[in-house]
Amino acid sequence: MFTKILIANRGEIACRVAATARKMGIKTVAVYSEADADAKHVAVCDEAVLIGPAAAKESYLCADKIIAVALATGAQAIHPGYGFLSENSDFADACVAAGLVFIGPPASSIRAMGSKSAAKALMEKADVPLVPGYHGENQDADFLQLEADKMGYPVLLKASAGGGGKGMRVIEKSSAFKAALASCKREAISSFGDDRVLAEKYLQRPRHIEIQVFADTHGNCVYLFERDCSVQRRHQKVLEEAPAPGMTAERRAAMGEAAVAAARAVGYVGAGTVEFIANQDGSFYFMEMNTRLQVEHPVTEMITGTDLVEWQLRVAAGEPLPLQQHQLKIHGHAIEARIYAENPEKGFLPSIGTLRHLRTPSAVTFELGGEAAAGVPAAVRIDSGVRGGDTISPFYDPMIAKLIVWGEDRAEALARMAQALSEYQIVGLATNIAFLKRLIESQPFAGADLDTGLIERNAAALFPPPQPVTLPALALVAVALVSSEKSAASDPFADTSGWRMNGVLQRTLQFADAALENAPAQPLTVAYRPDGWDIRLGAESVAAILCAHDAHDLTLKLDGRVVRGSVVRDADMFHVFSGGSHVALNYNDPLAHAGAAEVDGGRLTAPMPGKVVAVLVEKGQQVKKGEPLVIMEAMKMEHTIAAPGDGMVEDVLYAVGDQVADGAPLLAFKQA
Ligand code: ADP
Ligand code: ADP
Ligand code: MG
């Protein structure tokens, strides 16, 4: 076995590979770009070497630099992960030429499957069923259109060299063919440097079912059953599960054997996936082979009790497959959800930013290998490449984590997934978590009525109109806010910085739903009582008692009903996580502008009513922008009035101890 390997990747897959290497006592070398200097994959590896700037072309795609690092650090093998160089046959060759082991198939297998067209020609010879279509060399537009006309519309055009759903065009009728062909070729040349295309009959309501295969250098090749990846957006996977609902033992064996035949036809070694497109009646056709470890491999690991990265390392080191076909069994059901930094409501547009708050579901019991040894799979597994405080940058894939759950059956796995998603908390960027939860709970997914159009067809249910923020959610924020002020001050009732109305100290808080553009701020009235607060929104009101408060987590009694939630403040935004939902509220903080008081006609005015507790400048004094001038106290908190720019204090209008009304001029200030 190797004693040291280099991981030529980043993010969750680099961390995933490192975890197994550690378990096996193998040292790891990470490579990283300038953008990833503080990334998790750098932290979890034994050594890390900078290989270039952020752009993948100048770092993670630089085969020469990576091979040089492997040689310099004494690594014996390179694991390419997925994406980047994983399906680059020249890189596989270059590793071997440098005396390194490429942890993947031989370059010749990658090459054979690299072109979807050439792969289909090969599969035809191996008697693997194909989708009707044209995958030959002739790229003449008239010829291709004739082929499309023959197979009948709708027709799907694909880039032969394609991946990640790029370049694909569905054509509904012959008259639209030429324009679609031109646009497919444009995208193909820009994404893959190769504009060759193939045409296929576009299947109606198909399912994407793929088979995990594994081969060693001793002539063994097995299949580790199927994964159903039908739930997609823009031809990209969103949810993956194993086994495929409705799969019969006969069809499983037929697909497994077809996949093994496909792998054998190209002299395959290591982990690979044969993707099939299946009709609702179960008939299936070869689509392509991915010659690498797949993003969704964990669902297979969870139902088979295997560690596929360990298998990869063993096979690459020349060992035989750990298990033979008859020893492989399916136990239970697993589902994976890809947690992305993206905005489903805005066409799944990627979102970038810092994970200012990250809390993952509690029942994480997965340890690599641990569950297989004990014979009891973990219920929830999270494969992630980021930690709280890390950043999702614009340079790479916006995947935050993969959430994988296991259950004795699909119903149990579904329930665990819904629970885990409701416990997942992220603040700092848009995510698809709420969307995933709706998807998991939607009737078609829950009922296993799967096909690749599931998301589009159910858009109405999956993208419901935003609901008004509920009073319990507002009560959680209000109590979090007022009780944090309470703990910051000595006694909230000692002063009248709030309002007193009929002898009751009362405040109005303004919150606006951040999910709605230009949502009006809603006034929430909070009246203090000895044991809690009366909270009123319009005609609705509730008596709130704080039972427990630990960092972000609150337990309230609202009119006697226990409500739990977490409240996270991020500048002027409050995030409430409660009952499985996440609401973001813009807080219209009357004090927030205290540090940047407006200069009004040469006068610096008080941003709220309060008391002057310190005057830090004198008449005639020169000050710099941001320098503290006056400190006020309001609502039991101190607020510093700072210089809005460089300038001179012309006059000081209040003394320490003075009460100041909202908007009263505090200083005469002359901007430089
Ligand atoms: P599959 O799900 O069939 O394995 P995908 O095409 O969805 O295939 O996954 C591979 C994709 O993952 C690549 O096209 C790339 O966009 C993305 N990717 C590559 N490297 C990483 C990485 N380190 N972390 C997250 N995503 C990555
Ligand atoms: P990629 O290399 O981008 O993964 P694939 O050939 O694997 O491309 O296809 C990606 C997805 O496109 C499939 O999972 C499926 O949803 C859809 N698709 C591919 N071929 C067909 C087809 N002939 N009919 C209908 N949908 C298809
Ligand atoms: Mg594919």
Side-chain angles (χ1 to χ4, degrees):
M1 184 46 65
F2 314 113
T3 55
K4 192 191 262 193
I5 61 168
L6 181 144
I7 304 169
N9 214 301
R10 63 177 305 281
E12 73 84 17
I13 191 60
C15 299
R16 163 72 191 86
V17 172
T20 287
R22 171 167 308 249
K23 180 188 84 175
M24 296 173 72
I26 300 169
K27 295 264 179 274
T28 50
V29 180
V31 290
Y32 66 96
S33 72
E34 283 164 10
D36 280 340
D38 299 318
K40 180 177 169 188
H41 82 276
V42 170
V44 301
C45 288
D46 297 299
E47 289 170 64
V49 179
L50 175 67
I51 49 167
K57 260 195 210 133
E58 298 175 61
S59 50
Y60 297 107
L61 288 172
C62 284
D64 297 351
K65 286 189 200 172
I66 291 170
I67 288 172
V69 172
L71 295 173
T73 54
Q76 297 119 11
I78 298 184
H79 195 303
Y82 53 73
F84 296 133
L85 294 167
S86 62
E87 293 183 275
N88 184 315
S89 53
D90 293 341
F91 179 64
D93 271 338
C95 288
V96 175
L100 298 162
V101 175
F102 175 76
I103 302 170
S108 57
S109 308
I110 303 178
R111 241 170 237 131
M113 289 295 185
S115 154
K116 288 189 207 291
S117 307
K120 285 182 79 174
L122 256 172
M123 292 305 108
E124 210 162 18
K125 283 203 203 117
D127 280 332
V128 178
L130 299 183
V131 189
Y134 177 77
H135 51 263
E137 283 299 317
N138 193 339
Q139 295 289 305
D140 177 70
D142 291 321
F143 172 82
L144 288 172
Q145 182 166 11
L146 217 64
E147 286 294 320
D149 292 349
K150 266 195 276 177
M151 68 186 91
Y153 294 87
V155 162
L156 181 65
L157 280 180
K158 288 184 188 176
S160 299
K166 285 207 192 89
M168 284 202 276
R169 296 289 180 280
V170 182
I171 308 174
E172 299 293 342
K173 51 184 190 295
S174 188
S175 60
F177 187 88
K178 291 270 168 60
L181 177 66
S183 103
C184 174
K185 281 184 174 290
R186 268 198 308 276
E187 195 167 322
I189 194 93
S190 82
S191 303
F192 313 109
D194 179 342
D195 73 351
R196 281 174 295 173
V197 302
L198 64 96
E200 273 178 8
K201 178 88 191 146
Y202 187 65
L203 303 184
Q204 298 299 315
R205 302 199 56 171
R207 282 167 71 178
H208 173 121
I209 298 180
E210 58 185 34
I211 304 285
Q212 175 72 55
V213 294
F214 233 108
D216 63 20
T217 51
H218 304 271
N220 302 303
C221 185
V222 300
Y223 59 91
L224 290 98
F225 315 112
E226 77 281 3
R227 293 184 286 256
D228 191 314
C229 312
S230 301
V231 183
Q232 305 182 346
R233 54 143 174 77
R234 278 193 250 106
H235 304 299
Q236 281 193 312
K237 299 159 184 167
V238 176
L239 295 175
E240 299 108 339
E241 63 183 302
M247 178 66 89
T248 63
E250 296 72 44
R251 183 154 297 122
R252 175 172 294 130
M255 291 182 87
E257 280 155 24
V260 166
R264 287 199 185 277
V266 295
Y268 206 77
V269 175
T273 295
V274 180
E275 295 188 332
F276 293 101
I277 189 120
N279 280 310
Q280 294 290 328
D281 69 7
S283 54
F284 61 90
Y285 310 101
F286 171 87
M287 217 166 20
E288 64 164 345
M289 180 169 187
N290 291 327
T291 54
R292 53 173 160 87
L293 190 68
Q294 200 99 331
V295 174
E296 57 274 23
H297 74 277
V299 293
T300 300
E301 295 183 322
M302 285 180 106
I303 62 156
T304 56
T306 53
D307 177 343
L308 295 183
V309 174
E310 178 181 340
W311 282 41
Q312 285 190 297
L313 293 170
R314 294 200 180 285
V315 165
E319 294 181 23
L321 292 178
L323 296 173
Q324 294 175 24
Q325 193 66 56
H326 71 272
Q327 296 172 299
L328 286 161
K329 298 270 178 310
I330 295 177
H331 180 206
H333 198 98
I335 306 175
E336 171 179 287
R338 299 190 188 192
I339 314 269
Y340 276 106
E342 67 181 13
N343 197 330
E345 280 72 26
K346 293 193 177 144
F348 299 97
L349 208 67
S351 165
I352 54 171
T354 299
L355 296 153
R356 306 177 75 87
H357 168 81
L358 169 68
R359 185 186 288 175
T360 51
S362 52
V364 181
T365 48
F366 179 79
E367 279 168 35
L368 280 175
E371 87 291 3
V376 183
V380 180
R381 162 175 170 180
I382 294 167
D383 282 17
S384 165
V386 290
R387 303 148 299 190
D390 286 350
T391 296
I392 301 294
S393 73
F395 305 110
Y396 315 110
D397 191 278
M399 190 158 76
I400 297 170
K402 303 186 304 203
L403 173 61
I404 312 108
V405 299
W406 181 91
E408 285 290 344
D409 54 22
R410 191 172 191 265
E412 188 177 67
L414 270 174
R416 284 187 175 155
M417 179 59 91
Q419 175 63 24
L421 285 167
S422 70
E423 289 177 17
Y424 223 116
Q425 300 180 355
I426 292 177
V427 168
L429 32 72
T431 76
N432 62 345
I433 293 173
F435 171 76
L436 288 171
K437 186 154 178 285
R438 289 194 296 273
L439 189 53
I440 285 285
E441 291 174 338
S442 70
Q443 204 285 319
F445 188 77
D449 181 13
L450 305 174
D451 72 272
T452 58
L454 186 146
I455 291 179
E456 276 153 341
R457 207 173 37 257
N458 294 285
L462 295 172
F463 298 98
Q467 296 300 303
V469 182
T470 62
L471 186 55
L474 287 165
L476 281 162
V477 188
V479 171
L481 180 68
V482 297
S483 66
S484 69
E485 289 176 3
K486 189 170 167 178
S487 53
S490 47
D491 178 3
F493 302 104
D495 204 345
T496 54
S497 45
W499 279 15
R500 268 183 201 279
M501 195 184 261
N502 307 325
V504 182
L505 185 63
Q506 173 167 309
R507 284 172 64 180
T508 301
L509 305 172
Q510 305 271 359
F511 294 107
D513 187 349
L516 306 174
E517 262 166 52
N518 305 319
Q522 303 218 60
L524 191 71
T525 312
V526 180
Y528 291 75
R529 294 189 332 196
D531 63 338
W533 303 267
D534 280 326
I535 299 174
R536 175 179 297 278
L537 177 73
E540 256 189 297
S541 100
V542 75
I545 295 172
L546 179 59
C547 307
H549 193 177
D550 178 16
H552 298 300
D553 301 328
L554 294 106
T555 304
L556 302 185
K557 269 190 190 156
L558 298 180
D559 285 344
R561 187 167 67 93
V562 174
V563 172
R564 288 195 181 83
S566 308
V567 176
V568 179
R569 185 172 188 169
D570 181 20
D572 278 348
M573 188 94 87
F574 278 89
H575 296 262
V576 198
F577 297 90
S578 180
S581 77
H582 170 203
V583 177
L585 296 165
N586 281 314
Y587 176 44
N588 195 345
D589 187 348
L591 312 176
H593 308 290
E598 293 277 301
V599 185
D600 177 15
R603 288 160 173 240
L604 211 53
T605 57
M608 70 281 173
K611 190 163 81 181
V612 174
V613 294
V615 177
L616 307 167
V617 288
E618 289 172 6
K619 189 174 164 175
Q621 190 171 326
Q622 296 286 341
V623 294
K624 288 252 173 277
K625 180 178 173 153
E627 208 176 307
L629 309 176
V630 170
I631 298 176
M632 288 180 61
E633 187 189 75
M635 294 166 184
K636 297 313 289 179
M637 306 259 298
E638 281 195 355
H639 305 282
T640 303
I641 315 298
D646 294 355
M648 202 247 294
V649 177
E650 290 189 307
D651 203 357
V652 179
L653 305 170
Y654 284 95
V656 172
D658 288 347
Q659 285 289 340
V660 184
D662 188 5
L666 294 170
L667 300 151
F669 184 74
K670 191 163 170 242
Q671 205 110 10

